[in-house]
Amino acid sequence: MLIINGGILATYKSTDIQLSALENAMRQFDEAAARMNIDRAMLDILKQPRRAVIVRLPILMDNGKFKVFTGYRVQHSITRGPAKGGIRYHPNVTLDEVSALAAWMTWKCAIVNIPFGGAKGGIACDPTTMSKNELERLTRRYTADLIDVIGPDIDVPAPDVNTDAQTMAWIMDTYSMHARHTVTSIVTGKPIEVGGSRGRREATGRGVLIAIREACKFKKISLKGARCVVQGFGNVGSVTADLLHNDGARIVAVGDVYGGLHNPDGINIPELIEYVKMSKKVVGYPGARPFDSDEILKMDCEVLVPAALENVITEKNAKDIKAAIIAEGANGPTTPDADRILESRGVFVIPDILCNSGGVTVSYFEWVQDRMGYFWTEEEVNSRLESIMVKAFEDVLQMSLANSCNMRIAAFMLAIRRVLDVMMLRGVYA
Ligand code: GLU
């Protein structure tokens, strides 16, 4: 296990992805901080991750041979409470990417005002080529290697790209076996039977819907009949599309890694979800025309929801985007250069750290319920989520109007202010 305490930006730079997510996260931070009068040393504490752990994970594969994977856990901040954030399994996972995602978690938790810091984890692997048994062994070994740096009061993981409730159940079980008693609050996003919260699976998509509704109100766009395009059809994209469809919006295009689907009259999303359960991809569904998913971001629509990975809206395609509202279901889908172009063109961007914060908000509810041992109804969960998201949207909007800046800078300013206020109250242990 390699532990680095801070200094990640100086030590590590991504080499295998063109645009560095960490550099983007740092640029967003700098732009907001430049508008605030903050001491340089304080800024330095706020900006950089406080701890990063790298683990090497030898796994016995089904063919009887060992394969060694690299895993990461980055804790960006514990100022407002235990570190919090998901774990992703993807071939492109790097320390750089995980560090950016960890920082975004700190700001996200501050925007919805829940008592957590920010963290993120990841393993560089291709889960599509691995069996369930291999994934279970990988998850258990990763958890065991991180046993000293995670915990209900230390750092609480959750699902992210290519991890789900089953992955969380394995983490909970592994941690509990080491603790010699069941510790449900070690992780959120678990199956309901093992301490999960009702509404958690849908929470990120539900939060995206609430943010879109609020944005439509502000922009005076009727959501009923609005044309929506959703890029990514995983947990976030499919739930968002389904809820938008329920609210009377028209989902004219969806796409995943394999391709896109287009239907100007609106795709029947409940039917598509059933189709994807079997086929694992959207293309092939008979109710819409297939098209090259590279074109999806440029389609004519009122609302565009990037709900896949980072760096998809760049300075290359930002000028071709026709949407009035971009609702960032994914983390980091828009680069700072693209942001500038979108702003000059009057596109209203609901930034990721606000737009997709419904997931971690219900993770917080799950953690609270686990610690109480008393569970809420889905209606209770959804209505508490709704009030938190509406308030967060309003707070960011007011910040943006008061400072004449876009919603992303406003969201960062609000979050930085909230973390800094707690830091000042606690004092710096120097
Ligand atoms: N992975 C999700 C996110 O990026 C959820 C994190 C959590 O619930 O801790 O917000």
Side-chain angles (χ1 to χ4, degrees):
M1 184 199 294
L2 171 62
I3 299 187
I4 307 165
N5 289 308
I8 291 169
L9 188 59
T11 321
Y12 283 86
K13 281 226 167 142
S14 121
T15 47
D16 56 354
I17 45 176
Q18 254 190 344
L19 290 153
S20 153
L22 185 57
E23 278 162 349
N24 288 347
M26 296 297 166
R27 270 177 70 186
Q28 294 166 343
F29 177 93
D30 288 341
E31 264 182 60
R35 291 168 170 260
M36 305 167 79
N37 188 16
I38 305 174
D39 180 87
R40 280 183 78 89
M42 295 300 130
L43 276 183
D44 197 42
I45 303 174
L46 281 169
K47 186 173 167 177
Q48 299 276 352
R50 72 182 295 276
R51 175 154 81 167
V53 179
I54 305 174
V55 286
R56 296 283 286 157
L57 309 166
I59 303 302
L60 186 59
M61 304 302 278
D62 291 347
N63 65 6
K65 298 212 164 82
F66 281 98
K67 192 167 169 186
V68 188
F69 295 85
T70 304
Y72 307 92
R73 185 74 184 168
V74 176
Q75 294 163 352
H76 177 263
S77 170
I78 56 164
T79 300
R80 289 170 46 91
K84 184 83 190 83
I87 294 170
R88 79 170 45 174
Y89 291 176
H90 195 277
N92 294 346
V93 163
T94 58
L95 182 60
D96 173 293
E97 182 193 47
V98 176
S99 304
L101 291 160
W104 285 322
M105 285 310 303
T106 301
W107 314 128
K108 201 183 290 189
C109 292
I111 287 169
V112 282
N113 224 341
I114 56 176
F116 286 132
K120 202 78 171 199
I123 303 178
C125 65
D126 183 357
T128 60
T129 62
M130 294 172 72
S131 71
K132 190 171 175 185
N133 285 336
E134 288 168 343
L135 287 169
E136 177 172 351
R137 289 195 286 273
L138 182 64
T139 304
R140 288 186 182 279
R141 177 67 198 243
Y142 174 73
T143 310
D145 271 28
L146 292 179
I147 211 91
D148 299 321
V149 298
I150 58 172
D153 291 308
I154 305 170
D155 179 357
V156 185
D160 198 78
V161 174
N162 292 329
T163 55
D164 58 14
Q166 176 61 75
T167 324
M168 300 306 117
W170 292 328
I171 294 177
M172 190 281 267
D173 183 70
T174 309
Y175 187 88
S176 298
M177 289 301 107
H178 283 260
R180 305 283 186 262
H181 61 102
T182 295
V183 186
T184 52
S185 55
I186 170 61
V187 74
T188 59
K190 301 176 293 295
I192 291 183
E193 298 82 343
V194 296
S197 174
R198 293 191 169 75
R200 174 62 186 86
R201 192 186 67 79
E202 301 83 4
T204 310
R206 186 170 292 281
V208 174
L209 173 81
I210 298 166
I212 294 173
R213 261 195 219 148
E214 295 306 298
C216 283
K217 263 190 235 160
F218 177 66
K219 297 298 285 178
K220 302 203 171 17
I221 294 171
S222 158
L223 188 54
K224 228 182 171 63
R227 293 165 306 163
C228 303
V229 169
V230 181
Q231 185 219 26
F233 211 69
N235 181 39
V236 180
S238 64
V239 173
T240 305
D242 196 33
L243 294 173
L244 282 168
H245 177 83
N246 270 347
D247 264 14
R250 242 185 319 151
I251 317 301
V252 292
V254 298
D256 60 19
V257 276
Y258 306 105
L261 284 183
H262 180 229
N263 183 345
D265 300 325
I267 300 168
N268 183 330
I269 299 295
E271 244 181 57
L272 176 62
I273 289 175
E274 284 311 307
Y275 177 83
V276 170
K277 269 186 200 154
M278 289 161 350
S279 68
K280 308 285 172 223
K281 51 178 144 188
V282 297
V283 176
Y285 168 69
R289 181 181 64 81
F291 73 99
D292 181 357
S293 54
D294 286 349
E295 294 301 305
I296 193 162
L297 299 168
K298 304 177 189 166
M299 296 203 94
D300 232 340
C301 63
E302 277 71 55
V303 182
L304 172 63
V305 185
L309 291 170
E310 302 93 82
N311 294 331
V312 292
I313 303 178
T314 65
E315 78 277 11
K316 292 198 185 78
N317 58 15
K319 60 180 183 320
D320 302 317
I321 285 178
K322 300 180 188 67
I325 295 172
I326 297 180
E328 296 186 336
N331 289 310
T334 310
T335 66
D337 290 333
D339 256 338
R340 215 153 288 144
I341 299 170
L342 295 171
E343 188 176 3
S344 71
R345 298 186 50 236
V347 181
F348 186 83
V349 179
I350 317 170
D352 48 4
I353 53 176
L354 166 64
C355 193
N356 68 36
S357 58
V360 74
T361 301
V362 177
S363 276
Y364 166 54
F365 298 162
E366 180 171 331
W367 181 77
V368 168
Q369 292 170 78
D370 285 341
R371 289 160 78 101
M372 287 194 298
Y374 179 74
F375 290 84
W376 310 343
T377 64
E378 191 163 346
E379 290 69 34
E380 275 173 289
V381 169
N382 290 349
S383 96
R384 285 178 210 251
L385 171 63
E386 171 107 22
S387 4
I388 289 185
M389 288 294 303
V390 169
K391 168 90 170 69
F393 188 93
E394 187 56 28
D395 288 348
V396 174
L397 183 63
Q398 288 313 322
M399 186 66 113
S400 120
L401 297 175
N403 291 280
S404 314
C405 62
N406 67 38
M407 290 284 280
R408 183 169 338 267
I409 295 178
F412 266 83
M413 287 174 76
L414 179 71
I416 293 170
R417 172 54 56 205
R418 286 189 177 155
V419 179
L420 186 67
D421 284 350
V422 175
M423 217 165 98
M424 288 326 202
L425 282 169
R426 291 178 62 157
V428 178
Y429 182 28

